[in-house]
């Protein structure tokens, strides 16, 4: 049978992704410095590139996995519910930190790209890089940016934050669950929250709340910027 028939089957994208990710998790258990999302993504890119496999073939199954993101995101409510009391007790400082982080992210991105002479369309696409991809895409669409480019920046930001964020924060002396979870959820959205859940339910719950709040706050902060940019 023609190999293209198998490659164009949705099970190729689903099965291939799951197998590679399981292998990445096994490597993570042996080499703690390896991040499973980064290594799995790198392996998939290499396989598609060297095997000359069209992206559309892989995406026919990859779209199934994307469809699962909604229920998975809702599942983040479980650790959030379990830590609702702790979040409520520190609600004002947490919201202040999320607001400050969201504001600094948007302002610093706009300033840095403006000073380097970046195209306006790139600036509009990158302003929402620190929120989850669906929110970032909608913000970019309404701001006149490129939604697909904004989603790429969002995923990249989450990956970088997930890989380096905890080490950098702890190096700066930030060790409590609430500040760590707040910082990771605000800056690295869902990918950072997944990293926090892997460490503890407490960190995951606080990070999940921060991710959701940062999405709302960033969307509100962007309203006046629609007229400025």
């Amino acid at each position: 049978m023609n190999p293209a028939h198998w490659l164009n089957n949705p099970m190729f994208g689903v099965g291939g992704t799951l197998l590679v990710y399981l292998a990445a998790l096994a490597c993570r258990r042996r080499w703690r410095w390896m991040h499973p999302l980064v290594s799995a993504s790198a392996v998939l890119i290499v396989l598609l590139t060297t095997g000359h496999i069209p992206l559309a073939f892989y995406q026919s199954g990859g779209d199934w996995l994307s469809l699962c993101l909604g229920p998975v995101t809702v599942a983040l409510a479980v650790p959030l519910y379990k830590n609702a009391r702790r979040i409520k007790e520190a609600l004002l400082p947490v919201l202040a930190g999320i607001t400050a982080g969201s504001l600094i992210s948007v302002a610093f991105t706009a300033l840095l790209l403006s000073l380097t002479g970046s195209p306006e369309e790139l600036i509009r696409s990158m302003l929402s890089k620190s929120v989850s991809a669906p929110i970032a895409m909608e913000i970019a669409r309404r701001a006149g940016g490129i939604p697909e480019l904004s989603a790429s920046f969002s995923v990249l930001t989450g990956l970088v934050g997930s890989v380096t964020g905890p080490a950098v924060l702890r190096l700066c002396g930030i060790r409590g669950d609430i500040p760590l979870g707040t910082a990771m959820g605000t800056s690295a959205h869902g990918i950072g929250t997944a990293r926090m859940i892997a460490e503890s339910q407490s960190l995951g719950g606080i990070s999940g709340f921060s991710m959701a709040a940062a999405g709302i706050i960033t969307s509100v902060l962007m309203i006046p910027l629609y007229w400025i940019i």
Side-chain angles (χ1 to χ4, degrees):
M1 187 175 291
N2 189 343
H5 173 77
W6 294 102
L7 294 175
N8 199 24
N9 190 302
M11 291 310 298
F12 165 70
V14 175
T17 302
L18 290 177
L19 286 174
V20 170
Y21 185 68
L22 287 173
L25 287 177
C27 292
R28 164 78 172 181
R29 285 191 288 270
R30 183 167 182 178
W31 298 289
R32 298 298 298 172
W33 55 269
M34 289 186 67
H35 194 288
L37 283 178
V38 175
S39 53
S41 300
V43 170
L44 287 171
I45 291 171
V46 170
L47 288 176
L48 293 176
T49 304
T50 57
H52 303 288
I53 301 172
L55 181 61
F57 284 9
Y58 170 78
Q59 202 153 356
S60 63
D63 287 341
W64 286 21
L65 293 174
S66 298
L67 188 64
C68 296
L69 287 177
V72 169
T73 302
V74 173
L76 292 176
V78 175
L80 194 159
Y81 174 77
K82 290 181 177 179
N83 292 275
R85 178 172 293 182
R86 290 193 66 195
I87 296 171
K88 185 177 180 180
E89 290 172 352
L91 186 59
L92 287 179
V94 168
L95 286 177
I98 296 169
T99 303
S102 300
L103 181 60
I104 290 171
S105 174
V106 172
F108 182 77
T109 300
L111 178 62
L112 182 63
L113 293 178
S114 298
L115 291 176
T116 55
S118 299
E120 186 176 326
E121 200 169 35
L122 176 62
I123 298 175
R124 294 170 183 264
S125 302
M126 202 170 176
L127 287 176
S128 55
K129 62 178 179 55
S130 292
V131 298
S132 58
I135 299 176
M137 291 177 69
E138 189 59 31
I139 290 175
R141 184 179 291 111
R142 292 182 177 275
I146 305 171
E148 295 77 13
L149 188 59
S150 182
S152 299
F153 285 130
S154 174
V155 172
L156 184 60
T157 300
L159 280 173
V160 172
S162 177
V163 173
T164 65
V168 171
L169 289 169
R170 288 180 175 124
L171 187 65
C172 295
I174 301 172
R175 302 186 183 278
D177 284 0
I178 290 178
L180 269 174
T182 301
M184 288 296 294
T186 303
S187 60
H189 50 83
I191 302 177
T193 299
R195 169 71 184 274
M196 293 292 94
I197 290 176
E199 295 197 14
S200 77
Q201 287 286 317
S202 176
L203 280 168
I206 297 165
S207 183
F209 172 80
S210 301
M211 175 190 75
I216 297 171
I217 291 170
T218 300
S219 300
V220 172
L221 290 175
M222 286 297 298
I223 294 174
L225 288 179
Y226 290 150
W227 290 277
I228 298 173
I229 62 176

